[in-house]
Amino acid sequence: MVVLGVVSPQHIIIIPSVPTHQTRNSQYLTRRKALIFTSSSLFSSFMYTSHHYSAATAFQIDQPQQQEDRLVQLFQETSPSVVFIKDLELAKGSNDSTKVLANDENAKLEGTGSGFIWDKFGHIVTNYHVVARLATDQSGLQRCKVSLVNAKGESIEKEAKIVGVDPAYDLAVLKVDVEGDAVKPVSVGTSRGLRVGQSCFAIGNPYGYENTLTTGVVSGLGREIPAPNGAAIKGAIQTDAAINAGNSGGPLIDSSGHVIGVNTATFTRKGSGMSSGVNFAIPIDTVVQIIPYLIVYGTTYKDRY
């Protein structure tokens, strides 16, 4: 706790010379004036100090509330850009996939994940491993259903198609038809200049619980994690913000609400499937170099030739 105090300034009183016969009375009056003046100064100092102590205490009390309000606002502003992804496998012989997707009838839930709206055209960024079944489907029975919120705050469900994938960086782009439904893209930040210790937040759908917020800090930078194709993803962000099954593909956000990474992996105790507090995200500066190529060409620049 910080206590603010005020030290009273030293006052110098200059007493002019007086005749001898007035000395005794003058000394008495001087002492009396000095006593009154000193008492007044101490009283003023006490009042000033007390006033500032109260203000400081009130400020300290308000700080947690302000931080809490800011976090609530941060979630409200960013969560409409986060989507819930379901991997479905249609039953053999299912002809009307639209009806199946609408009610999840005759469809097997293969997995869930997260993603975020990249632009107003309905492109969605997620992890490759979230949609790997659809990307490698040979049977024609794999489908991907996305739950999202439109600009009016209404929950809608759409079938998503794969636009492009990059297994080397565990990234993929989906697209949903947003005709007639305005959507809210994320605010893309930068991972350049991140510092260990700064606050960060993860939004996703762990274990199918939609729009879950977890908080933490940037725990480390420049980490290396394995990619689905066996390569190494370098430069990953380490965080203790909880990332569990279903969080993959969701955004890692800074205190300003800007996306700084794509939540991708966590170390877990064998057999538990639970976050150990050592979690990783692909830095957004890497993502912004890859996603435009996936949207336009369906693959990364290096794989085009």
Side-chain angles (χ1 to χ4, degrees), residues 160-192:
K161 303 293 186 182
I162 287 184
V163 172
V165 297
D166 183 6
Y169 278 96
D170 201 3
L171 291 171
V173 176
L174 304 175
K175 191 176 188 304
V176 296
D177 180 9
V178 293
E179 185 176 354
D181 288 297
V183 292
K184 182 181 180 182
V186 295
S187 177
V188 177
T190 179
S191 48
R192 189 183 307 110

Side-chain angles (χ1 to χ4, degrees), residues 244-265:
N244 292 292
N247 271 113
S248 292
L252 187 68
I253 299 167
D254 65 13
S255 299
S256 299
H258 300 139
V259 177
I260 56 174
V262 179
N263 300 321
T264 299

Side-chain angles (χ1 to χ4, degrees), residues 38-276:
T38 303
S39 300
S40 176
S41 294
L42 289 174
F43 180 72
S44 299
S45 176
F46 173 76
M47 290 295 291
Y48 184 65
T49 303
S50 299
H51 170 74
H52 280 265
Y53 176 76
S54 299
T57 303
F59 176 73
Q60 291 166 4
I61 292 172
D62 287 344
Q63 267 191 324
Q65 184 63 50
Q66 291 173 352
Q67 292 171 355
E68 183 177 285
D69 292 344
R70 175 57 187 148
L71 185 55
V72 170
Q73 181 183 1
L74 180 75
F75 175 76
Q76 291 174 342
E77 290 176 351
T78 55
S79 60
S81 303
V82 182
V83 306
F84 181 27
I85 299 173
K86 288 183 180 179
D87 286 329
L88 300 172
E89 182 180 9
L90 304 182
K92 291 182 178 180
S94 299
N95 296 321
D96 190 353
S97 64
T98 303
K99 182 179 178 181
V100 172
L101 290 171
N103 303 304
D104 289 355
E105 295 177 354
N106 299 320
K108 178 183 177 183
L109 181 63
E110 295 283 347
T112 62
S114 305
F116 53 89
I117 301 170
W118 183 258
D119 57 32
K120 64 180 181 180
F121 303 109
H123 291 108
I124 293 169
V125 173
T126 187
N127 284 135
Y128 170 78
H129 73 260
V130 171
V131 295
R133 289 186 181 88
L134 180 60
T136 57
D137 179 34
Q138 299 294 325
S139 67
L141 297 176
Q142 294 291 333
R143 296 292 186 275
C144 181
K145 184 165 79 171
V146 172
S147 301
L148 63 156
V149 176
N150 61 21
K152 299 177 182 178
E154 302 168 336
S155 295
I156 56 177
E157 291 186 329
K158 301 276 188 176
E159 182 178 359
K161 303 293 186 182
I162 287 184
V163 172
V165 297
D166 183 6
Y169 278 96
D170 201 3
L171 291 171
V173 176
L174 304 175
K175 191 176 188 304
V176 296
D177 180 9
V178 293
E179 185 176 354
D181 288 297
V183 292
K184 182 181 180 182
V186 295
S187 177
V188 177
T190 179
S191 48
R192 189 183 307 110
L194 289 179
R195 296 168 297 166
V196 173
Q198 76 176 76
S199 297
C200 59
F201 312 92
I203 301 178
N205 310 285
Y207 305 109
Y209 291 102
E210 297 183 54
N211 278 331
T212 296
L213 171 71
T214 55
T215 65
V217 298
V218 174
S219 305
L221 298 166
R223 304 307 195 204
E224 187 174 298
I225 58 176
N229 68 347
I233 302 173
K234 299 180 179 180
I237 302 166
Q238 181 184 335
T239 178
D240 66 346
I243 298 175
N244 292 292
N247 271 113
S248 292
L252 187 68
I253 299 167
D254 65 13
S255 299
S256 299
H258 300 139
V259 177
I260 56 174
V262 179
N263 300 321
T264 299
T266 181
F267 275 121
T268 62
R269 293 183 179 180
K270 189 175 181 180
S272 71
M274 297 177 62
S275 172
S276 62

